[in-house]
Amino acid sequence: MAKRIPRGIQVPPLTDTMYRAALKSAKRDGPFDVVVVRYDQRADTLDLTLRKGIIVRLPRLQIRELTDSRPADIHKIEIQPGGDGISFKSINVDIYVPGLLADELGPLFAKAMGKRSKGRTSVEKAASSRANGRKGGRPRKVAA
């Protein structure tokens, strides 16, 4: 439910000048800003081209907000001002792109970084582990 503005507060109408000023002040150099978005019906994927030239292709059924939509409903996609969101007007869905990429790609990056470290640890962590081992180590679990 939208908040109501008290009667005593005057809200000026949004003018074209105000809108252009807001667009200028919006961040324009974020790595996750979308410059081109399209839906590929043949592959059933959403293709995002980001400001830094990165192209990300995500299956439609993997995007939670689009799983219940029909492919015909998502052809018309708009990029929100600032480039950090996309809108599907026909199904009334807005998606925040950095959140989408974090949800979909975050676990992949975390898994890759874990494999890359191959169990290596810091000097401090190794010393702490040795000290705890001298104390007898982790207590054994007792069956309930």
Side-chain angles (χ1 to χ4, degrees), residues 72-133:
D73 293 336
I74 60 174
H75 276 291
K76 186 165 172 101
I77 310 167
E78 295 178 12
I79 300 172
Q80 294 175 356
D84 62 351
I86 53 176
S87 298
F88 300 87
K89 299 290 185 192
S90 62
I91 57 173
N92 196 25
V93 170
D94 296 322
I95 298 175
Y96 180 61
V97 174
L100 172 68
L101 296 177
D103 287 349
E104 299 302 326
L105 303 177
L108 293 174
F109 289 119
K111 186 176 179 181
M113 292 306 292
K115 283 184 178 180
R116 189 173 183 192
S117 69
K118 296 180 184 169
R120 290 186 218 123
T121 185
S122 68
V123 174
E124 295 85 7
K125 189 172 178 183
S128 174
S129 183
R130 276 193 303 276
N132 287 335

Side-chain angles (χ1 to χ4, degrees), residues 33-40 45-50 54-56 58 63 66 74-80 83 85-88 95 97 100:
D33 291 348
V34 177
V35 293
V36 177
V37 62
R38 75 177 189 88
Y39 173 67
D40 182 353
T45 59
L46 191 65
D47 300 339
L48 306 169
T49 303
L50 306 179
I54 299 168
I55 299 173
V56 179
L58 298 170
I63 302 170
L66 302 178
I74 60 174
H75 276 291
K76 186 165 172 101
I77 310 167
E78 295 178 12
I79 300 172
Q80 294 175 356
I86 53 176
S87 298
F88 300 87
I95 298 175
V97 174
L100 172 68

